[in-house]
Amino acid sequence: MRVFSAMPRGVRPLAFLLLALVACTEPPVEWSDEAVTPPGDPTVDSLSASIVAPTPACVGSLRAARAGTTLYAVWWSPRADSSALLVSARSPDGGASWSPISPVDTSDRGATGCLRAPPAIAADSASGYVHITYGMTAPEGAGLFFAHSMDRGATFHSPVPILYGERLGYTSVAADGDRVVVAFEDPNSTTPRIGLALSRTMGHIFEDRLSVSNDHGLASRPIVTLKGHTIRLAWIQQTNASEPGVLRARAGTLH
């Protein structure tokens, strides 16, 4: 089992890393076999498509999640130097009015403008926590990152790395209580693959990283959900880049 500890970027104290080691004699997730999903495309996000960002936003970058009656949104806001700000806001009335904008991550050093994958967001109505994942070129290097708010989106803690790698892509995040799961397009695999990062501490530490998709074809656009200990993961799989993809899915039990 590979163990990964998440701390604010650039911080790697040995004591913290030692605390992150988890003794475990069984796999962290017990998976079902892969299957083609039934009709309906879980990668279609009609909620996000219906919302207009309250500040300038990269086209197609806004992602939204609902918790109770509150709507939470995150999006990339372009800057003049072709980098971007990652910002968030919440709305009590379905997007008609918004809270003040909250910065999620302002350290982007990329020069791709709005040619970047959208972030992902999940909101927990019971705890009030908001979780966000995204790919970005940070000062210390490109990778996939996680940030969360513990005060209903008013402020966000310092981002932590999920995985470093140059090929930035789509992510998906889900949470239930203390458990957080992040699905991602692996930024380091030779052939596009789907990976999963697991946290049992609300995202403060990601104890495990797993490869989930098989080696047959190209895997992209993951969508993950979590209810209790049950993970459901879907993604698009292609034989090659020129052919249409099919939706593949797996269910797993988080130990």
Side-chain angles (χ1 to χ4, degrees):
M1 178 182 69
R2 299 178 66 187
V3 179
F4 179 76
S5 62
M7 289 197 65
R9 291 198 303 258
V11 180
R12 298 289 191 276
L14 177 60
F16 188 90
L17 294 175
L18 292 175
L19 287 174
L21 296 175
V22 179
C24 185
T25 58
E26 61 181 352
V29 178
E30 182 180 346
W31 290 106
S32 68
D33 293 334
E34 285 187 25
V36 176
T37 64
D41 187 345
T43 66
V44 174
D45 187 349
S46 57
L47 174 63
S48 298
S50 66
I51 298 166
V52 177
T55 66
C58 291
V59 175
S61 75
L62 185 144
R63 292 295 182 266
R66 196 181 299 278
T69 60
T70 302
L71 185 68
Y72 297 90
V74 60
W75 62 94
W76 290 112
S77 182
R79 294 190 284 202
D81 64 356
S82 294
S83 65
L85 301 170
L86 187 65
V87 296
S88 177
R90 64 183 185 271
S91 172
D93 49 18
S97 63
W98 292 92
S99 69
I101 304 302
S102 298
V104 178
D105 199 325
T106 62
S107 64
D108 178 47
R109 298 296 184 270
T112 57
C114 286
L115 297 177
R116 59 183 72 220
I121 186 170
D124 188 333
S125 57
S127 65
Y129 296 169
V130 180
H131 308 279
I132 293 172
T133 55
Y134 53 99
M136 191 189 73
T137 301
E140 74 276 16
L144 307 176
F145 299 96
F146 170 89
H148 74 172
S149 169
M150 302 177 74
D151 55 7
R152 301 187 183 276
T155 59
F156 284 83
H157 289 205
S158 296
V160 297
I162 298 276
L163 192 68
Y164 288 103
E166 293 296 325
R167 193 172 64 243
L168 304 179
Y170 283 75
T171 67
S172 179
V173 60
D176 190 340
D178 292 344
R179 295 176 291 276
V180 179
V181 295
V182 178
F184 54 86
E185 297 177 354
D186 190 334
N188 296 305
S189 60
T190 303
T191 302
R193 296 283 177 266
I194 301 302
L196 196 72
L198 310 173
S199 174
R200 299 167 184 81
T201 56
M202 297 176 290
H204 292 107
I205 302 172
F206 284 88
E207 297 92 350
D208 301 295
R209 290 178 297 165
L210 315 171
S211 180
V212 180
S213 61
N214 62 41
D215 295 329
H216 308 299
L218 315 177
S220 64
R221 303 290 186 99
I223 296 291
V224 69
T225 64
L226 177 66
K227 185 174 183 180
H229 290 265
T230 300
I231 301 170
R232 297 191 183 278
L233 177 63
W235 66 90
I236 296 174
Q237 186 132 344
Q238 298 169 275
T239 302
N240 57 63
S242 64
E243 294 186 2
V246 297
L247 286 168
R248 306 288 294 183
R250 299 185 82 175
T253 302
L254 178 61
H255 293 301

